[in-house]
Amino acid sequence: MKKVTFLHTSDWQLGMTRWFLDGEAQARFEQDRLAAISRLGEIAVEYNCEFIVVAGDVFEHNSLSPRTFGRAQEVLKKLPVDVYLLPGNHDPLTADSMLRNAAELPNVHLIETHDPFVVLPGVELVGAPLTSKHSVVDLVAASLAGLEPQAEGHVRIGVGHGQAESRGGDANIDLAVVELALSERKIDYLALGDTHSSEQVGDSGKVWFSGSPETTDFYDRASLGGGESNSGNALVVTVDEATVDVREVPVGAWTFEALIFDVNSRSDIDSFLAALDAYPDKSRTVVKYALRGTLGIEDLRYLERNLEQREPVFAALFERKRLMSLMVEPTSDELLNLEVTGYARNAMHELLEHKEDERAADALRLLFRFAQEAAS
């Protein structure tokens, strides 16, 4: 029985930039994305993988700078096994495709057509390359349409890029067609790219998104797993004529997380700050946060001072402005210490006697804000 082990990866998107990273952090992010590719080579050796399949989006786009492309080539040519690149929606096989230049390296091969081809004795790949950024047909189904069931002692691996039909997206993939092809042994495994988190699709255990080897977007802790929840991996896949074994192996070094905290007291602020302090590698951590609640002016200043101290330590630490809902609620002492006189001060005392009333509380907040602005 033929058995083969290979490394399934995708969505390297070399050349990606993130608007929230400054120059120093962006340079580190770019270098670590290249380091993740080198790590894939180490994993291939560690797990005795015979080749690497990249299921689309090797590059962020087809117009990389010479520096970025040159560095990518240096990393690719040092990989210890052959690498098979599928064009994705970010780097489709157009006239200006940089994948053709990458495939000039002796260990790098471009999947250019739907035709199956031999990579090892008894092992074939069949791909569904994108030739434009958007596809109106199911390219995976097209790559499977003309295939015959395999002979005994052979293994065939499909490679595609896009979203399963039930998930939406630009390049829809009909899982029913895929599952039928698997049951008929037209293919034994489908390696997918596009989703940046590692995950199985369908019920066969033979269709997987590898996810990006380095984190690219936010995991939303507040929504119990929303966003990019399982990125930074590669898949070691062992396939024979009857079974598929898939192992997730960690690769990436970066963390992107979105937080929401309720802060209504000094202790709430300290809990939020403790959550920030708990990140182990802050130079490779990006946190966007939303704070909800009401604070007195002194507590607000305490929060601002502590955030100001932490911001330079993180790769990026910034507000989710759309979700921020933090109000200033002055204490009675803070109000009494305001430099207001005459009618305004008399009105303030009267409002303080009724501050449990929401309208009085609103008036006090407004008075406090005006007095602060006048004093600044």
Side-chain angles (χ1 to χ4, degrees):
M1 180 178 289
K2 182 65 181 179
K3 178 180 288 189
V4 63
T5 297
F6 65 97
L7 194 64
H8 170 196
T9 179
S10 70
D11 298 279
W12 296 357
Q13 291 183 224
L14 300 176
M16 172 185 281
T17 59
R18 304 276 77 177
W19 66 265
F20 42 76
L21 296 177
D22 63 20
E24 181 270 337
Q26 176 62 45
R28 189 167 61 254
F29 182 65
E30 181 177 341
Q31 184 58 43
D32 284 344
R33 294 180 71 75
L34 292 169
I37 310 311
S38 298
R39 172 67 180 137
L40 294 177
E42 296 170 1
I43 293 169
V45 171
E46 181 181 352
Y47 289 93
N48 298 312
C49 296
E50 297 187 75
F51 55 89
I52 296 172
V53 170
V54 189
D57 288 357
V58 178
F59 301 125
E60 175 71 353
H61 43 68
N62 276 331
S63 56
L64 298 181
S65 69
R67 185 193 70 163
T68 299
F69 182 71
R71 290 180 177 180
Q73 280 189 308
E74 286 298 304
V75 172
L76 279 167
K77 73 182 182 182
K78 292 177 183 177
L79 291 173
V81 295
D82 281 1
V83 187
Y84 296 87
L85 308 180
L86 180 78
N89 62 298
H90 276 263
D91 53 3
L93 197 60
T94 53
D96 62 346
S97 172
M98 304 194 81
L99 291 171
R100 290 193 177 92
N101 294 332
E104 293 175 0
L105 298 170
N107 63 324
V108 178
H109 313 277
L110 182 57
I111 303 174
E112 297 186 69
T113 72
H114 289 164
D115 299 328
F117 59 95
V118 175
V119 294
L120 294 169
V123 180
E124 290 184 343
L125 288 183
V126 58
L130 273 77
T131 56
S132 62
K133 281 188 168 293
H134 305 284
S135 175
V136 295
V137 299
D138 184 341
L139 295 175
V140 170
S143 73
L144 301 174
L147 298 179
E148 296 293 331
Q150 298 163 86
E152 187 175 341
H154 287 72
V155 168
R156 186 183 290 141
I157 297 150
V159 190
H161 189 87
Q163 290 300 310
E165 190 170 53
S166 61
R167 297 168 57 89
D170 291 327
N172 290 338
I173 297 168
D174 189 334
L175 279 179
V177 172
V178 173
E179 297 288 0
L180 180 61
L182 287 164
S183 68
E184 294 176 345
R185 288 213 61 235
K186 291 183 176 181
I187 57 172
D188 297 294
Y189 177 82
L190 179 60
L192 288 177
D194 197 30
T195 290
H196 287 198
S197 294
S198 306
E199 63 174 292
Q200 178 185 321
V201 181
D203 301 321
S204 67
K206 299 179 179 181
V207 184
W208 280 77
F209 285 104
S210 66
S212 171
E214 185 56 86
T215 299
T216 62
D217 213 339
F218 291 91
Y219 165 58
D220 195 338
R221 286 172 55 180
S223 64
L224 301 178
E228 200 169 295
S229 59
N230 191 29
S231 58
N233 303 313
L235 303 181
V236 174
V237 184
T238 300
V239 181
D240 61 31
E241 298 169 49
T243 63
V244 171
D245 178 74
V246 178
R247 177 183 300 194
E248 291 182 15
V249 181
V251 179
W254 282 67
T255 298
F256 288 60
E257 290 199 341
L259 307 178
I260 295 179
F261 266 78
D262 291 316
V263 288
N264 294 288
S265 65
R266 183 67 63 95
S267 63
D268 289 343
I269 296 172
D270 287 338
S271 295
F272 168 58
L273 297 173
L276 295 179
D277 291 342
Y279 288 100
D281 187 356
K282 297 176 182 61
S283 68
R284 289 176 171 82
T285 299
V286 178
V287 175
K288 62 178 181 179
Y289 60 87
L291 302 178
R292 304 179 302 197
T294 304
L295 293 173
I297 190 65
E298 288 305 316
D299 283 343
L300 181 62
R301 287 172 177 163
Y302 173 78
L303 170 65
E304 291 171 342
R305 285 197 304 272
N306 277 278
L307 284 173
E308 188 176 350
Q309 292 170 4
R310 286 162 174 80
E311 282 172 5
V313 181
F314 282 81
L317 176 64
F318 60 96
E319 293 181 358
R320 306 172 71 179
K321 294 187 182 297
R322 181 176 59 86
L323 299 180
M324 285 288 287
S325 180
L326 193 59
M327 297 182 64
V328 178
E329 184 72 58
T331 65
S332 296
D333 287 343
E334 288 167 345
L335 286 164
L336 292 170
N337 287 330
L338 287 176
E339 294 183 2
V340 294
T341 58
Y343 173 79
R345 191 163 192 85
N346 293 335
M348 180 183 71
H349 282 283
E350 185 174 344
L351 288 168
L352 280 170
E353 293 176 2
H354 302 89
K355 66 179 181 178
E356 300 305 320
D357 182 278
E358 186 58 34
R359 289 175 299 176
D362 286 342
L364 283 167
R365 283 192 287 267
L366 190 61
L367 175 63
F368 183 79
R369 192 186 80 192
F370 287 158
Q372 290 289 106
E373 290 174 353
S376 62

